Amino acid sequence: MTVELTVDKVSRAFGGVYAVRDVSLTVPAGELRAVIGPNGAGKSTLFALIGGQLAADTGTVALDGIRVERRPAHRRGIGVVFQTARVFHGMTAFENVMVGAHAVTRAGFLAAALRLPRHHRDERRIREKALTCLDRVGLADWADRPAEELPLGQQRSLQLARALCGEPRLLLLDEPASGLRAAEREHLATLITRLRTEGLTILLVEHDVAFVMRLADRITVLDLGRVIADGTPAEVRANPEVRTAYLGPETVRPSEPHPGVEGVAG
Amino acid sequence: MSDLIGYLITGLGIGAGFALVASGLVAIYRVTRVVNFAQGGFAVLAALLTSTLLAAGLPHGVAELGGVALGALAGLIVGVVAIGRPGTSPGTSLIVTLGLGVLAYAVEVLIWGDQPRSFPGLTGVAEVAGARLPAHYLLILAVTAPVFALMAWFFARTDLGRALTACASNRYAAQVVGIDVRRMGLLAFTIGGALGGLAGVLTTPVQQVTFDSDVTLIVNGFAAAVLGGLTRPMIALAGGLLLGVTQTLVAGYGGGAYQMEVALVLMLTVMIVQAARTGPVPETAR
């Protein structure tokens, strides 16, 4: 179920400015890789290129050696959790998660229209699965609430449940911890660790460096669209280039995310 | 009194046709953001084919199903032409549907001519609370009610229905979840075509059909659909029924010449009152 992700010399420019330039990285199956970098480093663009929300100008993206960069997003088998709320309004939390099962449901229009037994079986399976996923992210009590009424943190957890319900081979998490309270953050860290133990390949973008250092197997550091460092948390922490990129030679960069290139995938 | 009941039931029957056309518009608009101006054409095509099939000796039921199937197929074709090319904007697609609607006129006139056609529906006269009216009006209602119930069930309780609703809510996220948004758009067009076709085969026995009957259907269907912001099928149903009843009452008690104008002014009034109460309609994100 789990896959190796290979990104090879991927570039994407917006109006002549490179957001991501010749980025290559390999995430072995079952690894939890974090991508960090200052604002405007190209993290979100890189995510969108892997997830299929943006097309790369050049370069390849492969899952277990099979190139997917020309496939539409819905055929890549990649689960994505966005930083901004992207839940389906007008549906309950439970229904949102059930939609996630669409990717792995093959009951056609006729089976549903004719109310074939197969449709009933599928529906029961989807309901059970959605409940399990909702429970895993700690949202079981919120199941019947309209999705858009959930607090932002919960909406992000809901996206995670929705992604898990689609049995992704690779999970992209874009700042899953931002805006969460300490207890929620702990719960999320436990959940992510457990998903990794189960063998899911995970790519994580996060501003909270302490959170990342604790969870990630390896860290890739981007700055100005390029990879400037790649290694274990300890190696990255000791890398002088990383310190310079984050703190700057003279000025301190703002630490809050801002719209711009970063916001493309968000 | 019996007059009033007769007008009401007749009006509901006519309104059910508008409501079916309207719900087809809504089904398509929600998923694709395209206002499908070829919607009335599905009804006309379905009705014309049904008249031919019946004349050829096919039994009732089979012929009507054939008509609805043609409506669905026409819906799919319009969908492929209007949204098949990735990146087509909803505005462009709208113009494409308008063009296809006009093209359909040519096809219809070539095959069926320009004279009104009809076919018998449920014959006989029914008596409801003292009012005597053609029994076919009751058949229209008896078919429309379960169709709307089935739609509600489909959109809420099946995987495909939920996927369609998800596309309606947030296309970007729907794609991320693994939904083929374009395929869902085509499915919506097919459903819209079937609903339009059903409107055609149901109302033709009491109304006759010509190649340009779609104008009445689309004007009324659009008015009913707009009532619910083009996104709420149940309000479109209410709007369609209201339009049908109003028109029949105006025609019955006043003058038949103004029925459509009066009904549309009423609809406009409802919308103005609604807008005054809820404020401007928010721009929906694509």
Side-chain angles (χ1 to χ4, degrees), chain A residues 123-144:
Chain A
E123 274 296 294
R124 201 172 332 117
R125 195 177 49 76
I126 292 172
R127 299 184 83 84
E128 282 165 9
K129 196 160 156 193
L131 265 182
T132 313
C133 294
L134 213 48
D135 195 36
R136 289 193 83 173
V137 302
L139 282 181
D141 293 342
W142 301 74
D144 295 324

Side-chain angles (χ1 to χ4, degrees), chain B residues 245-272:
Chain B
V245 169
T246 315
Q247 295 192 10
T248 320
L249 289 177
V250 170
Y253 290 116
Y258 305 110
Q259 50 172 319
M260 189 148 123
E261 287 77 358
V262 172
L264 291 178
V265 166
L266 172 84
M267 200 51 80
L268 198 61
T269 315
V270 171
M271 278 190 275
I272 290 170

Side-chain angles (χ1 to χ4, degrees), chain B:
Chain B
M1 184 60 198
S2 67
D3 270 1
L4 178 65
I5 289 168
Y7 290 146
L8 279 179
I9 294 174
T10 312
L12 287 175
I14 306 271
F18 299 156
L20 284 168
V21 171
S23 64
L25 278 173
V26 169
I28 293 168
Y29 180 82
R30 286 179 47 164
V31 177
T32 65
R33 301 286 146 192
V34 175
V35 180
N36 174 33
F37 275 107
Q39 187 66 22
F42 303 150
V44 173
L45 272 176
L48 290 172
L49 179 71
T50 305
S51 75
T52 302
L53 292 180
L54 283 171
L58 261 71
H60 272 294
V62 177
E64 278 85 352
L65 274 181
V68 173
L70 179 66
L73 178 68
L76 179 61
I77 293 171
V78 170
V80 168
V81 178
I83 63 162
R85 198 165 148 266
T88 311
S89 77
T92 310
S93 300
L94 182 153
I95 302 296
V96 170
T97 65
L98 204 57
L100 287 173
V102 175
L103 181 69
Y105 279 5
V107 175
E108 286 152 11
V109 171
L110 269 177
I111 300 177
W112 287 284
D114 58 359
Q115 292 308 301
R117 293 170 80 103
S118 190
F119 51 83
L122 188 63
T123 47
V125 174
E127 208 174 303
V128 182
R132 292 169 62 79
L133 60 136
H136 188 80
Y137 284 105
L138 295 178
L139 177 71
I140 296 178
L141 293 177
V143 173
T144 306
V147 163
F148 269 88
L150 189 72
M151 293 258 292
W153 170 81
F154 173 71
F155 278 106
R157 295 264 181 272
T158 69
D159 176 61
L160 271 180
R162 282 189 299 267
L164 285 165
T165 310
C167 291
S169 164
N170 190 330
R171 293 168 67 88
Y172 192 87
Q175 207 171 26
V176 167
V177 172
I179 295 170
D180 186 340
V181 175
R182 202 178 69 100
R183 210 174 119 240
M184 289 301 142
L186 295 180
L187 176 61
F189 264 97
T190 310
I191 293 173
L195 288 168
L198 186 62
V201 299
L202 279 179
T203 57
T204 299
V206 291
Q207 281 203 321
Q208 289 195 329
V209 60
T210 50
F211 69 93
D212 59 356
S213 301
D214 69 312
V215 176
T216 319
L217 284 171
I218 191 74
V219 167
N220 287 290
F222 185 68
V226 158
L227 194 66
L230 280 166
T231 54
R232 291 152 78 185
M234 286 306 155
I235 296 193
L237 169 66
L241 296 178
L242 181 66
L243 273 170
V245 169
T246 315
Q247 295 192 10
T248 320
L249 289 177
V250 170
Y253 290 116
Y258 305 110
Q259 50 172 319
M260 189 148 123
E261 287 77 358
V262 172
L264 291 178
V265 166
L266 172 84
M267 200 51 80
L268 198 61
T269 315
V270 171
M271 278 190 275
I272 290 170
V273 171
Q274 211 180 24
R277 219 183 48 216
T278 60
V281 181
E283 184 78 14
T284 331
R286 282 187 185 143

